[in-house]
Amino acid sequence: MPDVLQLEGVSAGYGQTVVLEDVSLTLPERGSLAVIGRNGVGKTTLLATIMGHTTMHAGDIRFNGRGINALPVYERSRAGIGYVPQAREIFPSLNIEENLLVAARPGPWTLDRVYDLFPNLAARRHHMGNQISGGEQQMLATGRALMGNPSLLLLDEPLEGLAPIIVDGLLKVLQRLVQEESLTVILVEQSAKLALEITRDAMVLNRGRIAFSGPSAELLADEARLTSLFVAQ
């Protein structure tokens, strides 16, 4: 399968502050990568860098074989990168359906397909963005990214702060996106075991550098190693 995303020696951050150092990864078509690690090690910065929200200090990012270092955020989105930020960032003054339609681009993901994936959104389609629960906001943020019909989907801690019953439902959705749909997925998640259970590959970050890169199943099966990677250094 061709590679969808390649990072080579990427160092990036905010202004002159470098957060990521010498990060390299390759993600094939329909691949899935869990990015895990303690708080503050650069996980969110990695996704923000792929999306174009940070300052590049070194290295190269290629998407579907095309160098995108110089592309602004909106062009990366148009090229097929979907981003579900940790803050969700839905429009409170628009209703659910308007939030979805504002991001729509031609492709297999339609309003009906998103509503099939998230029946809660269909039932509350006329509710405003500020009238829905945190779990529904997360569903909406994910559905909005899918409406852009991306080939690469970046998810930043989609399970954070949600009730267990909502987490269970969203995990089933994420499994479907990873296993059944023609998407390449990068999942940043604080709950390491949950992320490892639904992805093919894993990367652990520590102080902005890669501490582990390999199959998710390998890391999940090695409890001692997994624990050691999360010990403060």
Side-chain angles (χ1 to χ4, degrees), residues 97-109:
E97 193 151 300
E98 290 167 339
N99 264 281
L100 293 171
L101 290 174
V102 77
R105 293 195 181 93
W109 282 101

Side-chain angles (χ1 to χ4, degrees), residues 77-78 80-82 100 103-107 109 143-151:
S77 177
R78 287 178 180 174
I81 303 178
L100 293 171
R105 293 195 181 93
W109 282 101
R144 183 183 58 187
L146 292 172
M147 287 291 289
N149 278 286
S151 55

Side-chain angles (χ1 to χ4, degrees), residues 17-163:
T17 302
V18 176
V19 178
L20 297 177
E21 296 188 64
D22 195 26
V23 171
S24 298
L25 68 87
T26 299
L27 198 56
E29 184 178 357
R30 299 190 68 177
S32 54
L33 177 70
V35 180
I36 57 179
R38 302 185 317 279
N39 287 328
V41 297
K43 304 186 300 296
T44 291
T45 301
L46 174 63
L47 297 192
T49 298
I50 295 169
M51 200 66 219
H53 288 298
T54 64
T55 303
M56 287 279 291
H57 290 274
D60 186 51
I61 303 176
R62 303 187 69 80
F63 177 59
N64 288 327
R66 174 191 183 189
I68 63 171
N69 284 27
L71 288 188
V73 174
Y74 71 90
E75 287 194 19
R76 298 186 197 208
S77 177
R78 287 178 180 174
I81 303 178
Y83 183 38
V84 182
Q86 189 174 10
R88 299 163 188 159
E89 296 178 5
I90 62 174
F91 298 107
S93 60
L94 301 181
N95 65 31
I96 284 176
E97 193 151 300
E98 290 167 339
N99 264 281
L100 293 171
L101 290 174
V102 77
R105 293 195 181 93
W109 282 101
T110 62
L111 199 58
D112 286 343
R113 281 198 71 198
V114 170
Y115 282 154
D116 177 66
L117 192 66
F118 296 114
N120 286 33
L121 298 185
R124 308 195 69 189
R125 66 181 71 192
H126 299 303
H127 285 69
M128 307 303 287
N130 59 1
Q131 295 176 323
I132 58 178
S133 69
E136 289 165 338
Q137 288 180 16
Q138 186 61 60
M139 296 173 197
L140 180 54
T142 305
R144 183 183 58 187
L146 292 172
M147 287 291 289
N149 278 286
S151 55
L152 172 63
L153 183 62
L154 311 176
L155 295 146
D156 192 0
E157 299 206 22
L159 309 177
E160 182 186 26
L162 301 181

